[in-house]
Amino acid sequence: MRRLEPQLVAIVVMVVAAACGRGADSAAAEVGTACPATSGHGRAIALSMLLQSGDGSAGTPSWLRVRKQSQLTREGSPEGSSRQKVRLTAAESVAGAPAAQEESVVLFAGAADEAASELGRGSSVVIVRPVSAASVARVVASVRSDGSVAFLGECAFRHLTTPYDKFVAKRHADGDSRTAAELFYGLAKERALVDDLRASEGVPRATPVPWEARRAQERVIDPDGANPPPAATMADLRSHLVHFAYPEAWRSFDGSIVTYVPDVGWNAALPLSLDSDDPAVQAYASLTKPLEVWVVPAPADISQPLARLAVIDPASLAGADEVYLYAQVEATSRDDLVRQAKAGAVAFKPGPPRG
Amino acid sequence: MTALSCQPAHAYSIKDGCEEGAYRGNNVQYVFSSDSRWNSSSNSGWNGATPKQVAASGFGVWALARNRDATPIVKMSATAQTGSRAVSVRLVGYPGGDPFLLGAFSCDSGVNVLELNEIMIESYPSSTEFYETATHEMGHGISLHHTGSTDSHVPYDTPLMSPTGSGIFYGLDDAAVVSHHYAIGANDTFTANYGFENGLDWYTWSGAPVTLTTGSTSGGVYHATVVPNSSGDNLNQSVAVMNATGRWVRPSMQYVTPGATSGGVRLQLYQRDVKYEYDNSAENQNLKFPLRDRNMDVRTSGVVESAYYVVRSESFPISNSWRTALTSQHQIPPILDSSSRVAGGVDLRLRVFSTASVAGEYIHVHYDDVRIQEG
């Protein structure tokens, strides 16, 4: 989708060589020396965040390595901005993701300048693919023949190189003998390393497991979210409004209804207490697999599914658009509903649209 | 003081001294100090641009957001006069001060609060940083809080109001905070571009494409039109809401289903519980609505505590003329963990569906003013 950008950026931003230090011939340790040193607390987090900015499909960064100056050519500055589109030729994928023979990537112009310079002195340049081709690649690194790593671009020394060096130092202190470059490439492949990096930055939380690596029981089907199912998975799914009709007494139950597509994941939940004359939830159903209906603790604790209430044959959904599911049992409490379901009762069945 | 870009995070809360929404309904006027450096065109790497030009272009960004009547939500203009509605902007070199601070907005709770507001910009960063800093600090000048660190709609891009990033992009989060504080109407809104006057930006849809159509319910230029492929196709936008415990919200919109003989439209509000890590400093303690990091759940600063669940779901009848749809209110529950660096929060997702049809075929439905409003 189109995005707004500052209208007058063109006259403004075009910078590339200024305060935060760059320069075609600055050595790695000097890159960014004009960018004032700081504790970098806020930006220190940026490295581990940015290292997740690969293609996103597997939660593993997709990095491209350029080894020769001739492999990196400029294609111009999009919209006259501070961005520089470059074309990579004979690019090599670091993380095992497919690498095109030719590929265009947008860099900040400063990073592009420094990348050209670094290639000129025999270093490899590694670029983390941005999440979309139109986005700017934020992580551009020079990997030197001595095994050192320097991040390129405005303020990159402070924001990326400095925290990364601290991370490497800690790894070495912990007995890891790998060079900065080896650890860098390892970050592309080892989730644990990214977690370590985050920990070294004081980030308390572990990274989530990517879609493919999660068990279906832990997945949420949310193509609009941060961890969407792969396109191949979505191709078998169709979006429905699923209406539920159940006794008024169930509104007092501490539970929610959630639909589940086996081997795929969970849809959004519908709290039984929802104040609605026509409780309905948007849900994805498979064209080939059944749609299961579960009750979970409210409001949406899919980590503790309590009982399966129904299994809807995909054939019964074929041709249907809105789906109507009607309660088949009487229950006095959530626990009673769970008990009946575990005893084999089918709690919901599809039916015709409500009049 | 609020910091941006190449600088440590200096804590400053806009709430401490500034009047929130102070400029609502007014032009925001700013006046440059008489410092001759404003007019210098000799800064290396600036391509001849003067600091005044750079700053003014950044200030103008805040006028990009549009009300549903197509008028700018915030009107920005330079003035030669200082006065009760003018923000004074001056260049300082921070002699003896913190050399890493590129920008700050100061706000005095004195007799004439607004007249004493000042934006200070360190003189010699790059033009990019100068632009970012000026724009960011003017955001505070018009009472905006910080957003999350990355944009909700375009992950990995940095909003202008990010507390630590070097953002030059006016994104969903920026637009949403402007909408929240300044949008026309009796109710604040959490939704960016609710009148589609910025095109279809910041909305996501499934199924058939949404198109932008000329005409509006309220004097605006555009509204959105869609023909669903299935009942589950929907137009949606998500926002993150932090520390809004006890707030009442509800979705609303205008819609028309010309020629439909059956079906209807449905407004839904989904919620998921999220704990947002925040800097336990004065800067962020008063942060109310750092509008969403769409990718909070793969980021450092948000921990998703639940799947999405429906909190409001109401249907509305077909209509041959524009009609208002408004659900009942939903109260954002208390989700606080005051014992740690975690703030209670939720992600809210607005979804709009249509089953308006003729002879079993879905038809065009038109939406305008699609929003999550407060109250």
Side-chain angles (χ1 to χ4, degrees), chain A residues 69-86:
Chain A
Q69 207 164 22
S70 61
Q71 292 177 329
L72 187 79
T73 57
R74 295 165 189 255
E75 292 192 313
S77 301
E79 301 171 6
S81 72
S82 60
R83 303 173 178 195
Q84 170 79 56
K85 183 180 277 189
V86 299

Side-chain angles (χ1 to χ4, degrees), chain B residues 56-69:
Chain B
S57 66
F59 297 164
V61 164
W62 298 117
L64 291 176
R66 290 290 186 272
N67 282 297
R68 55 189 283 252
D69 65 357

Side-chain angles (χ1 to χ4, degrees), chain A residues 73-140:
Chain A
T73 57
R74 295 165 189 255
E75 292 192 313
S77 301
E79 301 171 6
S81 72
S82 60
R83 303 173 178 195
Q84 170 79 56
K85 183 180 277 189
V86 299
R87 177 159 288 273
L88 311 178
T89 55
E92 173 189 359
S93 171
V94 173
Q101 284 302 303
E102 285 199 354
E103 182 166 342
S104 290
V105 176
V106 180
L107 308 179
F108 282 121
D113 288 347
E114 292 176 15
S117 174
E118 290 295 314
L119 288 168
R121 59 164 63 100
S123 302
S124 292
V125 168
V126 176
I127 299 169
V128 178
R129 269 201 186 103
V131 71
S132 77
S135 296
V136 181
R138 303 294 180 108
V139 179
V140 183

Side-chain angles (χ1 to χ4, degrees), chain B residues 9-269:
Chain B
H10 287 251
Y12 174 78
S13 169
I14 195 75
K15 296 282 287 179
D16 286 347
C18 298
E19 183 182 345
E20 186 169 349
Y23 295 96
R24 185 190 296 272
N26 291 280
N27 287 327
V28 179
Q29 296 186 319
Y30 52 89
V31 56
F32 292 103
S33 73
S34 58
D35 192 321
S36 61
R37 290 173 296 179
W38 281 116
N39 295 312
S40 170
S41 58
S42 59
N43 291 310
S44 175
W46 285 39
N47 293 347
T50 67
K52 185 181 285 187
Q53 289 173 316
V54 172
S57 66
F59 297 164
V61 164
W62 298 117
L64 291 176
R66 290 290 186 272
N67 282 297
R68 55 189 283 252
D69 65 357
T71 58
I73 291 178
V74 177
K75 301 171 185 174
M76 307 293 300
S77 61
T79 177
Q81 304 291 323
T82 58
S84 62
R85 292 288 173 185
V87 174
S88 174
V89 189
R90 65 191 178 99
L91 279 167
V92 294
Y94 294 107
D98 185 340
F100 313 134
L101 187 64
L102 292 184
F105 182 81
S106 77
C107 184
D108 196 306
S109 57
V111 176
N112 192 340
V113 172
L114 297 175
E115 190 171 15
L116 294 175
N117 287 350
E118 281 190 325
I119 291 173
M120 295 163 286
I121 303 173
E122 207 280 329
S123 307
Y124 302 107
S126 69
S127 62
T128 303
E129 291 172 318
F130 192 89
Y131 175 90
E132 295 163 3
T133 305
T135 312
H136 178 102
E137 301 307 336
M138 180 55 88
H140 288 309
I142 59 174
S143 306
L144 303 184
H145 302 291
H146 283 153
T147 64
S149 58
T150 58
D151 188 66
S152 302
H153 194 81
V154 183
Y156 314 112
D157 274 345
T158 308
L160 288 163
M161 293 310 294
S162 163
T164 56
S166 52
I168 62 172
F169 300 114
Y170 177 75
L172 183 154
D173 298 7
D174 295 312
V177 291
V178 171
S179 292
H180 182 262
H181 286 292
Y182 285 98
I184 289 175
N187 303 94
D188 286 334
T189 180
F190 288 89
T191 316
N193 190 21
Y194 54 92
F196 302 101
E197 298 308 319
N198 291 124
L200 295 168
D201 282 353
W202 306 308
Y203 284 93
T204 302
W205 56 88
S206 62
V210 174
T211 58
L212 200 61
T213 307
T214 303
S216 174
T217 62
S218 56
V221 178
Y222 300 114
H223 66 271
T225 300
V226 65
V227 185
N229 286 329
S230 73
S231 65
D233 285 353
N234 63 94
L235 179 73
N236 67 78
Q237 187 179 125
S238 305
V239 295
V241 183
M242 180 202 258
N243 280 359
T245 296
R247 296 268 179 161
W248 292 89
V249 297
R250 56 176 153 180
S252 69
M253 68 171 177
Q254 304 286 319
Y255 73 95
V256 60
T257 58
T261 55
S262 63
V265 299
R266 182 174 291 266
L267 268 177
Q268 287 194 324
L269 185 65

